[in-house]
Amino acid sequence: MKVPFSWLKEFVDIDVTAQELEEKLFGCGFEVEELIDLSAEIKRVVVGKVLECIPMEGTHLFICKVDCGEYGKDIQILTGAPNVYAGMHTPAALDGATLPGGVKITAKPMRGVESNGMLCSGEELGLNDDLYPGSEVYGLLDLPKDTVPGTDICEVVGLNDYVFDISITANRSDCQSILGMAREVAAILDKPVKMPATDYVMSDYKYENLNITVEAPDLCPRYLGHGVRNIRYGQSPQWMRRYLALCGLRSISIVVDITNYVMLEIGQPMHAFDMETLESTQIIVRRAHENEEIVTLDGKECKLNPNNLVICDGSKPVALAGIMGGLNSEITEKTTQLLFESAKFMRDNVRKTARSLGHSTDASSHYEKGIAEYTTELGMARALHLIQELNCGEVTSSAFDVSAGAPREGKHFTATLSGINKILGIEVPGDAVLDILRRLNFEVKRDGDVLDVIAPRYREDIEIGEPDLAEEVIREYGYDRIVPTFLKDAAVTNGGLNKEQQRQAKVKRTMCSQGYYEISTLSFYADADLDALHVAADAPERNVVRILNPITENLAIMRSLLAPSVLKVIVDNLKKGNGAGRVFELANIYVPKQQPVTELVNEILHLGLGVFGDDEDFFTVKGSVEALGEAFGLKFDYERAEDVPWLHPGIAAYVFCEGEKVGVFGKLSNAVANELKLPKDSKAGDKIFLGELDYAALSRHIAAVFHYEPISEFSIVSRDLALVVDEKVSCGAITAVIRGACKQVGNVELFDIYRSEHIGKGKKSMAFKVDFVPKDKALSPKDIERFIKKILGDLKFRVGAEIR
């Protein structure tokens, strides 16, 4: 944001140089990206009085004798400007002078006649008519006759000024104006702020039947409107045009200039409608209809939708709220009566509309940071005052204030001095705290350690009491006064990773040893990503944290599941020709404790994994899960998972640890795979397998200290069991029964499945290798026979298995 030094001085008695103020602003958290010295490129250019002007025979040139005060009373300079005359006061660039653009002036002969400089036009000094009248005239800049020869030209034309180019952070919307920065400068220098005049007198005239209605109060909490008639179309005064020009805006007409001036000075974007172009006296603020159209002031046609907010005249849109007015209600030289608009539009809606339509403006950039209710009121009052001050219209008594119940006072809260100092880590004297808050226009009452605080109405960024107040105090007190200290719970350590960090590192090493690559994805995605996995509307995963001001609609919610992120990485690899791979991510999911979200959410660490390629199948993922379990001394049980919408119901399993469900894995559902935008003729979707483990739940079963058992000195005895079971009986169910029947059972491995008419319809034969691990003595044939008998009995009772 550009802030002219001279404009700031109208609000605050500044007694430091521009360079000193730049340093003070930086110390208070305002980054001055550039301090522009308007006179930096102009050297040795002074006021010159043309004493005589003689045409040079046979040329278009004039030989002039110029009085330049202390630089010379009779300097000869040649010029070809057609408007030069004796007695003219004009800028004279002397020998050795420099002009904007790096132009250097030296004494040299022209047509054999010595010229000791150059007489200048306004354009050659980088001026236009807005900065100084007459600057755009073809020829020399004709200065007033009371200017003193030899005076530095920058003092005469107003170029002895500085412009601060300040980067305003998104949270300080109150500072995106000259007045806003003046408040900060006043606080820094401990000087009072001279508020701009906002008084005006209304006439008795009132527009009949004029009415304003807000149908979308959620997008427009406050809308002020005021009728003005007997408009005088003309040029703005020089002081207003100059300030607009210094901030990068060209003068258009007096009414339009007032709206732009108020936006720069007060920070309130305004708009003026030509009332004679409105089709009715009803102004309606509503959501646009689907495919409704508007042509904005710059001639751009916009097709709208219900996400866009428009201002309508009862039948059609006449402005795109917070962005730009419509061409159909433009202020012209024929305008005699208008309606001023000063409103608060929700910043997220303005930002989304501006980006979706590709239509960013100065007004939208202000609204995107946020406009306070206070600024809306002040902006309207200032605009009406300027209408009367500049005698360009009659302020009628037709005034409207449509509000959605917004507060008319600043935020009220309590804080403690000890709490503020605790946050800062230093002891700021109580009187200093009160003085700083007073200079920043906070209303503060102190009762011992307790502060009763009311924030200024324009400070809508103040939210959470002590932390925000601590920030305000330290930026004025001085960041250089902060003494490095430990946080409350900090302690000196020997460095290295703590136990949990070591455990997570071990998880990653284990996954990498299984051929996986670690990925890192954003913590945000869209509802569409859950839709793509066919997650039901009432599923727990739909209980999400929604971002109030998302960067894009594709990053609108915080993830409640890692699977969408992992699947995206797999799909991207397949589209780029990488036909096989294994990936994993150990990261948080975010689960709100309640809706709406009013407190910190639960961050739960999950392990997401995915494999894809022709050589991958269900058992490669199962093997990875089991390898992870072995690394931490855990044993997993499995059950068929038939209710996970993004996994194939026949090729998916839940993972259990000590009876607690800790995850799921399996083949990607055919329905989901068929909807992926994979390369044509690709069957890669048939070979995608996903898994997700609740690491936080899993870690509760990991022993704090591992106890190792010595390897048995006795041999392991293995037996094969061929069982006939119903088709619906799963391998996991049989394995669980075998392990539960005998403590000596070690590894249980399925090595064959056989189906035949001889076995029976709806039956299958499953062959298992079962290892029996001896404890303190060798296992005898009778022991093995007893174990097998117990296992077969349990199998028959629990799953109806028969020995084949």
Side-chain angles (χ1 to χ4, degrees), residues 215 284-294 302-317 319-320 357:
E215 295 183 354
I284 302 173
V285 184
R286 61 167 173 81
R287 295 175 183 271
H289 300 146
E290 191 66 44
N291 294 325
E292 196 168 24
E293 296 183 352
I294 185 174
C302 300
K303 183 170 288 189
L304 310 176
N305 60 61
N307 293 324
N308 309 134
L309 187 68
V310 292
I311 317 299
C312 301
D313 64 357
S315 62
K316 66 181 185 302
L320 202 52
L357 298 177

Side-chain angles (χ1 to χ4, degrees), residues 495-720:
L497 303 178
N498 60 32
K499 292 294 184 183
E500 179 55 33
Q501 290 170 333
Q502 292 175 10
R503 185 181 297 170
Q504 292 180 24
K506 185 175 181 180
V507 170
K508 295 180 180 181
R509 289 197 304 272
T510 302
M511 297 306 296
C512 290
S513 70
Q514 296 294 308
Y516 286 78
Y517 287 90
E518 184 178 8
I519 60 174
S520 180
T521 62
L522 293 175
S523 299
F524 314 94
Y525 47 56
D527 289 294
D529 294 309
L530 293 175
D531 296 339
L533 264 62
H534 294 190
V535 176
D538 58 349
E541 292 81 7
R542 294 287 186 172
N543 179 30
V544 296
V545 180
R546 297 197 174 274
I547 309 303
L548 291 178
N549 301 304
I551 297 174
T552 72
E553 289 299 319
N554 293 330
L555 301 173
I557 62 175
M558 300 191 75
R559 62 186 173 199
S560 58
L561 199 65
L562 289 184
S565 301
V566 175
L567 182 59
K568 273 188 174 181
V569 172
I570 292 175
V571 171
D572 285 346
N573 274 271
L574 290 171
K575 288 181 177 180
K576 294 174 181 176
N578 300 326
R582 298 183 179 187
V583 296
F584 80 94
E585 180 173 19
L586 184 63
N588 285 326
I589 65 167
Y590 304 88
V591 181
K593 298 172 184 176
Q594 61 184 16
Q595 293 288 4
V597 178
T598 56
E599 56 182 311
L600 293 177
V601 302
N602 292 322
E603 300 182 28
I604 305 172
L605 202 58
H606 271 212
L607 175 64
L609 55 136
V611 302
F612 59 102
D614 293 338
D615 296 331
E616 306 292 358
D617 59 22
F618 174 85
F619 294 102
T620 58
V621 184
K622 183 173 182 286
S624 302
V625 174
E626 290 179 342
L628 184 64
E630 288 182 8
F632 290 96
L634 301 174
K635 290 185 178 180
F636 295 139
D637 295 313
Y638 307 94
E639 286 185 7
R640 178 176 292 182
E642 298 182 343
D643 57 352
V644 181
W646 41 280
L647 295 179
H648 193 294
I651 316 176
Y654 286 119
V655 183
F656 289 84
C657 184
E658 298 179 354
E660 182 182 6
K661 186 190 295 184
V662 295
V664 68
F665 66 91
K667 179 182 178 297
L668 184 66
S669 163
N670 291 339
V672 174
N674 291 337
E675 294 173 0
L676 297 177
K677 296 180 180 179
L678 296 175
K680 293 182 179 180
D681 302 326
S682 171
K683 295 184 179 180
D686 295 335
K687 286 291 185 177
I688 298 177
F689 298 85
L690 299 176
E692 185 152 346
L693 300 178
D694 185 341
Y695 174 82
L698 189 64
S699 62
R700 292 194 290 268
H701 299 279
I702 300 176
V705 180
F706 287 119
H707 297 281
Y708 295 93
E709 295 182 0
I711 297 175
S712 177
E713 59 183 292
F714 306 104
S715 300
I716 295 176
V717 180
S718 298
R719 290 290 186 272
D720 294 342

Side-chain angles (χ1 to χ4, degrees), residues 45 324 352 489 723:
V45 182
M324 186 176 284
K352 291 175 184 177
D489 298 324
L723 307 171

